[in-house]
Amino acid sequence: MSVAAATDRNRGIDALRGMAILFVVIHHLAIRIPLTKTALADFLPTWLLKGLIYNGGESVAIFFVISGFLIARRSLARWGDLSALSAPQFYLQRASRILPTLVLVVALLSALHLARAPYYVIDKPSQSLGGAIFAALGFHVNWYEGTTGYLPGGWNVMWSLAVEEVFYLGFPLVCLTLGKVRWMFVAVLVALVLSMPFVRMALHDAGGGIWYEEAYLPGMSAIAIGVLAAMLATRIAAPPRWLASALCALGGTGLCAIFFAGASLWQAMHEYNVWLLIGSAASLILGLHWQAASARPWRLRRLGWLCSCGRLSYEIYLFHMFVVFALVAAFRSGGFDMRWGFLWYVPTLVLAWLLGVAVARGFSQPCERWLRRRFGNAVTRPLVAQTASG
């Protein structure tokens, strides 16, 4: 959990983020142990099973929207206006949260590659360990994969981190320039959101493949609608009481439609269904934000584990492939019947959560606290000096 946000949690949004990370873990396990080939297919409808296992990409888009909302809302709360954002402080917040855990997972993946461990060896002719490390730490795994092919699963998940962090590298610069002219700043974000299906169409016509799945612009469009939702949430602090519930209902219905009626929606909307996806996510997030601030906030007492998954989503996301590969290796080497493969899902989810807890408590959070203590004064001192002299 982010140190800055330790006392600023929205349980509804945490639960949504927890749901998204569980769908990602399920998707990566289902690629190797499909639920549709297990005994569950004998009595559960195919549309339900496919909705559970084939929405990893849609869940990542939800992550993007949540990220845009939370980062922008906290920036607005800290500085009052995005045009007043402190770039050094912003970058310290992001670096202390992202880099230690990223360096750790890259080190572990590199060691497993050098040990020639199954599922971790980078063996494509156009790829190398050095190239993968540079792509991961330089936030362009998606570009690297687009030009050389997919990396092993532990590295591949970092494509979405590349999209997110490139957006946030430029975010302060845009806020400090275009942010001074609000309508222009909003217009750029709206244009980015509106471009999403057209960019995806162009990528599909260009050959699809990895770029269609991992390109920068579509992911940034999802982050942009989250930023817009945060700006609206700040502008309207006390909406009508019914609005929060209505937005939650609309957003939840839209996401359920995307997840469990995706084939029908694709036939009707084609690429334009991404507007329904990110619009529903933004609606649900905005509704959850306003609901939590209302006179009668939902307690969500029975969603503790799901909320915990949401708080640990970064650690779970980066490390869950270690669990997936370990259990898949055990499943295959043990010669287990595929019909009973569904029994491996709950242990995978629990172990991925436990690993996330261990990484967060034993490494991520201590590193984050140390970095902010160590460098916090360095990034705030120029601001203090400027205030004193001005």
Side-chain angles (χ1 to χ4, degrees):
M1 176 171 53
S2 173
V3 173
T7 59
D8 181 25
R9 305 301 316 191
N10 182 307
R11 285 178 62 82
I13 295 176
D14 278 340
L16 177 61
R17 188 158 46 179
M19 180 207 72
I21 190 60
L22 293 184
F23 270 101
V24 169
V25 177
I26 288 171
H27 175 72
H28 288 148
L29 180 61
I31 292 173
R32 295 146 181 104
I33 307 177
L35 278 180
T36 50
K37 294 183 179 180
T38 69
L40 291 182
D42 294 343
F43 56 90
L44 291 179
T46 301
W47 64 264
L48 176 60
L49 294 177
K50 288 186 175 180
L52 291 173
I53 66 178
Y54 292 136
N55 281 294
E58 288 75 7
S59 296
V60 170
I62 294 172
F63 275 126
F64 286 149
V65 181
I66 294 173
S67 174
F69 179 85
L70 293 179
I71 296 299
R73 189 183 65 80
R74 288 168 183 164
S75 297
L76 286 163
R78 183 174 290 118
W79 291 293
D81 193 276
L82 293 178
S83 64
L85 179 149
S86 165
Q89 290 185 47
F90 182 88
Y91 288 136
L92 175 62
Q93 297 284 321
R94 292 304 298 166
S96 61
R97 177 70 181 110
I98 297 301
L99 290 182
T101 312
L102 176 60
V103 170
L104 176 62
V105 76
V106 167
L108 291 174
L109 290 170
S110 300
L112 288 168
H113 164 83
L114 294 172
R116 311 302 292 175
Y119 303 105
Y120 296 98
V121 178
I122 301 169
D123 55 7
K124 286 187 173 64
S126 55
Q127 295 178 346
S128 67
L129 177 59
I133 293 172
F134 181 63
L137 300 181
F139 302 124
H140 63 279
V141 165
N142 54 344
W143 190 286
Y144 189 70
E145 289 192 324
T147 55
T148 66
Y150 286 109
L151 287 161
W155 296 90
N156 169 256
V157 298
M158 287 183 263
W159 75 265
S160 63
L161 185 63
V163 172
E164 193 171 3
E165 295 314 311
V166 167
F167 182 94
Y168 291 125
L169 282 172
F171 185 64
L173 305 180
V174 175
C175 289
L176 294 173
T177 53
L178 292 180
K180 297 182 182 300
V181 184
R182 186 180 299 275
W183 71 264
M184 188 178 298
F185 182 69
V186 171
V188 169
L189 292 174
V190 170
L192 190 54
V193 172
L194 294 179
S195 73
M196 190 173 184
F198 304 103
V199 171
R200 287 174 60 87
M201 289 178 199
L203 291 167
H204 181 272
D205 293 342
I210 295 175
W211 274 118
Y212 178 76
E213 299 172 0
E214 302 180 0
Y216 283 108
L217 279 179
M220 290 181 176
S221 298
I223 300 173
I225 199 172
V227 175
L228 288 168
M231 296 173 69
L232 182 60
T234 301
R235 193 172 185 85
I236 306 175
R241 293 178 61 181
W242 57 267
L243 184 58
S245 297
L247 287 175
C248 289
L250 286 173
T253 301
L255 291 182
C256 286
I258 287 287
F259 275 54
F260 298 106
S264 299
L265 284 173
W266 175 260
Q267 291 178 356
M269 303 176 68
H270 298 288
E271 293 291 355
Y272 299 106
N273 72 343
V274 296
W275 282 338
L276 178 61
L277 171 61
I278 64 173
S280 296
S283 173
L284 181 53
I285 293 163
L286 196 54
L288 289 169
H289 170 75
W290 278 330
Q291 208 292 318
S294 68
R296 296 182 179 178
W298 297 331
R299 300 300 180 185
L300 304 175
R301 291 189 179 93
R302 299 182 183 275
L303 297 179
W305 183 66
L306 193 60
C307 293
S308 176
C309 289
R311 292 191 296 270
L312 298 167
S313 59
Y314 179 56
E315 287 80 8
I316 294 174
Y317 185 77
L318 283 187
F319 283 85
H320 75 275
M321 291 307 295
F322 294 109
V323 174
V324 169
F325 285 147
L327 293 189
V328 168
F331 179 83
R332 291 175 177 173
S333 63
F336 292 96
D337 188 342
M338 181 64 74
R339 286 184 55 79
W340 299 103
F342 68 90
L343 295 175
W344 293 73
Y345 277 71
V346 170
T348 300
L349 295 176
V350 172
L351 289 173
W353 171 72
L354 287 173
L355 182 57
V357 171
V359 172
R361 294 182 180 177
F363 184 80
S364 301
Q365 292 171 9
C367 287
E368 185 178 3
R369 288 191 292 267
W370 183 84
L371 286 169
R372 294 187 182 185
R373 285 197 304 266
R374 176 67 178 80
F375 297 103
N377 290 335
V379 299
T380 57
R381 191 178 300 118
L383 297 177
V384 174
Q386 183 179 5
T387 303
S389 63

